[in-house]
Amino acid sequence: MEPAVRIDGKQVAAEVIATVKKHTAGLVGETEITPGLAVVIVGEDPASQVYVASKSKMAKECGFHSVQHTLDAGTKQADLLSLIETLNNDPAIHGILVQLPLPDHIDEGRVIQAIAPDKDVDGFHFINVGKLGTGEISSAFVPCTPAGSMVLIERVRGRDLSGLTAVVIGRSNIVGKPMANLLLAANCTVTIAHSRTRDLPALARTADILVAAVGRPQMVRGDWVKPGATVIDVGINRIPAPERGEGKTRLVGDVDYDGAAEVAGTITPVPGGVGPMTIAMLMANTLVSACRIANRQPPVF
Ligand code: NAD
């Protein structure tokens, strides 16, 4: 069998960003509206700081009005909620993102539900979750990682997935469940697998589209993959890489890339697959939010 075709997430993300920039320039040129993204971070988690900095930077590159609120780890929940209220009411802001996780003394659910649904560019508010679940996708915000994964799937399989079976491994609210809803909306026959699923390899082998969103390095082996399948690896895991020198590490996905690539038709690498799509879709969602306010047709990604 031919080895699988690698799906280049960096390339597709660059195309999404180019579309965002073009439409942002049009919006700014023809209306009074500049897309505005507010990113809020509480505390000093180093990984979160890196994510937030790259989101703010990308927003600027897209031509957005980009603001970052960095709050110290001891910030009271009431103060965070009042900042969100201010951003909800700020007409210059079209997207609000609160970087998770939040410190333990803050109720994450409370904070997420305080974000105005029409500025909830992460797509975690119940209103947006409900819209996705009922197929009202055009007026929803879809969480960025599954939205980006779906763009990659569409590039290789088209927008209508009628007749195809999909298995999503992982049932988180951030990835697995919204991913399954997107695949269902595209007419796939979808199964959600998780830690309690029996004989996962056999189930995975039924999938024309196999999405792994677990957080276990290289769990999905080549013999879990149906010949010709599209494999989307959402996992990001850091593992020791002694071959690179003492104490060195490297990133791997939830899929054993080399093994799976011998069987799959198309497959995303880690890094360079779903990862770059997540931030691109955050920009896309923010632009879409501004287009809705401006009563303009948003681009299709
Ligand atoms: P999570 O921990 O919330 O959910 C993991 C899911 O995997 C759970 O539903 C659990 O039931 C399932 N699971 C655990 N062990 C299993 C097993 N042995 N067999 C089958 N299922 C099992 O994680 P998440 O937030 O959904 O993230 C999943 C992975 O995706 C992580 O590696 C995370 O780093 C990565 N991620 C990547 C991006 C990105 O931008 N590419 C974004 C979000 C998450």
Side-chain angles (χ1 to χ4, degrees), residues 42-142:
V42 186
E44 262 118 53
D45 178 61
S48 294
Q49 284 186 330
V50 171
Y51 291 143
V52 162
S54 58
K55 287 167 185 173
S56 298
K57 183 167 164 260
M58 184 64 90
K60 285 197 189 93
E61 271 178 51
C62 288
F64 293 180
H65 165 61
S66 167
V67 291
Q68 186 176 321
H69 293 269
T70 307
L71 309 181
D72 73 54
T75 299
K76 290 201 188 88
Q77 175 167 305
D79 292 336
L80 176 57
L81 290 173
S82 107
L83 170 61
I84 290 172
E85 190 55 28
T86 305
L87 295 170
N88 283 344
N89 294 318
D90 182 346
I93 297 298
H94 304 96
I96 302 169
L97 179 145
V98 178
Q99 185 65 41
L100 303 179
L102 290 169
D104 288 347
H105 68 279
I106 296 178
D107 178 349
E108 255 175 33
R110 221 11 240 288
V111 171
I112 289 167
Q113 302 311 320
I115 297 171
D118 58 355
K119 297 189 179 187
D120 168 40
V121 283
D122 252 342
F124 297 156
H125 192 284
F126 292 148
I127 293 277
N128 287 309
V129 175
K131 283 184 173 180
L132 173 58
T134 50
E136 293 284 327
I137 297 177
S138 62
S139 71
F141 288 114
V142 177

Side-chain angles (χ1 to χ4, degrees), residues 13-264:
E15 288 165 26
V16 169
I17 293 295
T19 304
V20 169
K21 283 181 180 167
K22 188 176 131 222
H23 280 262
T24 299
L27 195 65
V28 172
E30 291 159 36
T31 72
E32 301 286 287
I33 294 171
T34 301
L37 176 65
V39 179
V40 181
I41 177 168
V42 186
E44 262 118 53
D45 178 61
S48 294
Q49 284 186 330
V50 171
Y51 291 143
V52 162
S54 58
K55 287 167 185 173
S56 298
K57 183 167 164 260
M58 184 64 90
K60 285 197 189 93
E61 271 178 51
C62 288
F64 293 180
H65 165 61
S66 167
V67 291
Q68 186 176 321
H69 293 269
T70 307
L71 309 181
D72 73 54
T75 299
K76 290 201 188 88
Q77 175 167 305
D79 292 336
L80 176 57
L81 290 173
S82 107
L83 170 61
I84 290 172
E85 190 55 28
T86 305
L87 295 170
N88 283 344
N89 294 318
D90 182 346
I93 297 298
H94 304 96
I96 302 169
L97 179 145
V98 178
Q99 185 65 41
L100 303 179
L102 290 169
D104 288 347
H105 68 279
I106 296 178
D107 178 349
E108 255 175 33
R110 221 11 240 288
V111 171
I112 289 167
Q113 302 311 320
I115 297 171
D118 58 355
K119 297 189 179 187
D120 168 40
V121 283
D122 252 342
F124 297 156
H125 192 284
F126 292 148
I127 293 277
N128 287 309
V129 175
K131 283 184 173 180
L132 173 58
T134 50
E136 293 284 327
I137 297 177
S138 62
S139 71
F141 288 114
V142 177
C144 301
T145 300
S149 302
M150 200 60 201
V151 170
L152 296 179
I153 293 167
E154 286 170 355
R155 294 291 166 110
V156 293
R157 291 284 189 159
R159 285 189 189 268
D160 185 0
L161 306 176
S162 294
L164 299 180
T165 57
V167 172
V168 179
I169 313 178
R171 58 172 159 182
S172 72
N173 292 331
I174 293 175
V175 188
K177 282 182 203 154
M179 186 75 239
N181 271 325
L182 284 171
L183 288 161
L184 193 57
N187 300 321
C188 248
T189 302
V190 185
T191 306
I192 305 178
H194 47 77
S195 53
R196 307 291 178 90
T197 299
R198 292 212 180 111
D199 201 357
L200 187 52
L203 177 65
R205 272 192 296 274
T206 66
D208 299 305
I209 296 169
L210 181 60
V211 181
V214 179
R216 288 183 159 234
Q218 299 168 315
M219 180 182 84
V220 175
R221 318 303 301 186
D223 63 0
W224 294 30
V225 175
K226 179 177 176 175
T230 295
V231 178
I232 304 292
D233 190 354
V234 180
I236 301 177
N237 309 289
R238 196 164 276 289
I239 61 164
E243 71 281 4
R244 294 185 176 183
E246 208 188 304
K248 298 280 187 201
T249 59
R250 67 187 176 105
L251 289 182
V252 296
D254 291 344
V255 176
D256 164 25
Y257 184 90
D258 293 338
E262 281 177 26
V263 190

